[in-house]
Amino acid sequence: MKTIGFIDYFLDEWHAEKYPAWIEAASGGELRVAYAYGMTDKPGGLTNAQWCERKGIELLPTIEAVVDKSDFLIVLSPDFPEYHEELSRLPLQSGKPVYIDKTFAPDRETALLLFERARQSGTPMYSSSALRFAAEYETMDRDGIETILSVGPGKFANYSIHQIEPIVALMGTDVRQVMFTGTAESPALLIGFAHGRQATVNHFGDGASFGMIANYRSGNARTVKIESEFFQAFIRNLIRFFQTGEGAVDPAETVAIITIIEYGLKAAETPYQWLKLPTA
């Protein structure tokens, strides 16, 4: 059996709660979350010690201890990506496979820094939204997409990645500009790709489902509503990464996704104006 260490801002959160049982089940017991570290206790929630006791996971006092004792590492903090640089510093020097949870980084500069740290130390690393692995997106033809209209729930800051990740996976990394077109209650972002191709990200209330319409040069369109078990597909991919050391996502795609999110937040300050994205 191989062990996984969690490194989190605080451990009492949805991803940390669900991943251990999913990983153990999907790996047939070959992988198990055995160790964990939390930077702070969740305000109003379980302490890290309480969480670990309830889950049967050993709480360790430092990130270094988790890195030393674990075969594989998961840096969580899914809703606090501003801590990913600090939480992943030692993991990315370890040479052990590291998965960094969504959203990978708070900005493009940090994303590039994290990939460079992993490269310098030869540490396998990747990050992704689980939505990338939805069966409905994976069966879509990527060739000839002219426009995409994407919809989903949640706030732009921490949920836009679930729409932007599939868009970039389908349309590529040649992103030129973004324009905010939504409202405070229902954010929307227009993404301009090379050769006039475009995609729109639309956020609605909690009752909204993830899905998209893709229009092709042929004049045909494809409509999908996400109903598959995308988290289970993601977990299977994560296990494959730990077993092989090969990440499923091109770093250029992850950097493009983070750049879109960073500049999308900036574009919200000046709606209906194009904001050019850096390309170098």
Side-chain angles (χ1 to χ4, degrees):
M1 183 189 70
K2 297 290 188 179
T3 60
I4 296 170
F6 276 0
I7 298 166
D8 210 338
Y9 179 49
F10 51 71
L11 290 161
D12 185 11
E13 48 92 357
W14 196 86
H15 286 198
E17 181 69 24
K18 297 294 186 181
Y19 286 3
W22 288 348
I23 289 170
E24 191 163 357
S27 68
E30 293 183 9
L31 277 69
R32 182 173 71 87
V33 178
Y35 310 108
Y37 165 85
M39 182 185 291
T40 188
D41 293 324
K42 181 178 182 178
L46 296 176
T47 67
N48 293 324
Q50 290 170 334
W51 185 90
C52 283
E53 182 178 7
R54 186 167 61 84
K55 300 290 284 186
I57 294 170
E58 184 179 351
L59 180 66
L60 296 177
T62 65
I63 295 174
E64 183 177 17
V66 175
V67 172
D68 287 345
K69 297 191 74 169
S70 305
D71 296 302
F72 311 121
L73 300 162
I74 297 179
V75 177
L76 291 154
S77 192
D79 291 329
F80 299 92
E82 62 270 25
Y83 292 105
H84 280 173
E85 181 184 354
E86 181 177 355
L87 293 173
S88 69
R89 189 181 305 274
L90 290 177
L92 292 182
Q93 296 172 8
S94 70
K96 299 178 179 182
V98 178
Y99 173 75
I100 299 181
D101 214 341
K102 72 87 186 169
T103 301
F104 178 60
D107 50 51
R108 175 186 176 88
E109 181 180 5
T110 304
L112 291 169
L113 174 65
L114 296 181
F115 278 115
E116 180 60 18
R117 283 181 180 164
R119 186 194 67 78
Q120 288 179 351
S121 64
T123 298
M125 182 266 284
Y126 91 109
S127 180
S128 180
S129 159
L131 265 293
R132 170 185 283 268
F133 303 103
E136 294 85 353
Y137 292 143
E138 292 202 323
T139 59
M140 291 180 68
D141 187 358
R142 286 158 165 73
D143 186 44
I145 295 177
E146 286 287 326
T147 57
I148 283 178
L149 185 154
S150 174
V151 297
K155 304 296 184 184
F156 185 92
N158 67 335
Y159 259 64
S160 62
I161 189 168
H162 296 314
Q163 296 188 56
I164 295 170
E165 181 105 29
I167 287 171
V168 170
L170 290 167
M171 298 186 72
T173 61
D174 198 353
V175 187
R176 303 298 178 84
Q177 53 193 358
V178 295
M179 178 190 294
F180 186 86
T181 61
T183 67
E185 294 75 23
S186 186
L189 188 72
L190 177 62
I191 306 168
F193 288 80
H195 310 299
R197 296 174 301 133
Q198 293 185 349
T200 56
V201 172
N202 300 271
H203 287 266
F204 297 104
D206 291 339
S209 301
F210 287 107
M212 67 169 57
I213 303 172
N215 205 55
Y216 292 83
R217 283 195 300 267
S218 64
N220 295 323
R222 173 81 184 274
T223 301
V224 296
K225 179 181 179 181
I226 304 307
E227 297 176 317
S228 61
E229 295 289 341
F230 56 84
F231 258 114
Q232 297 308 314
F234 157 70
I235 292 294
R236 291 192 295 271
N237 184 273
L238 179 63
I239 291 168
R240 190 157 49 249
F241 164 67
F242 287 144
Q243 292 172 335
T244 66
E246 298 177 2
V249 183
D250 185 335
E253 291 190 13
T254 302
V255 171
I257 291 160
I258 297 304
T259 303
I260 292 169
I261 295 171
E262 177 188 3
Y263 279 77
L265 290 167
K266 293 179 180 179
E269 300 172 6
T270 56
Y272 303 104
Q273 297 182 33
W274 282 116
L275 185 62
K276 293 190 178 300
L277 273 58
T279 55

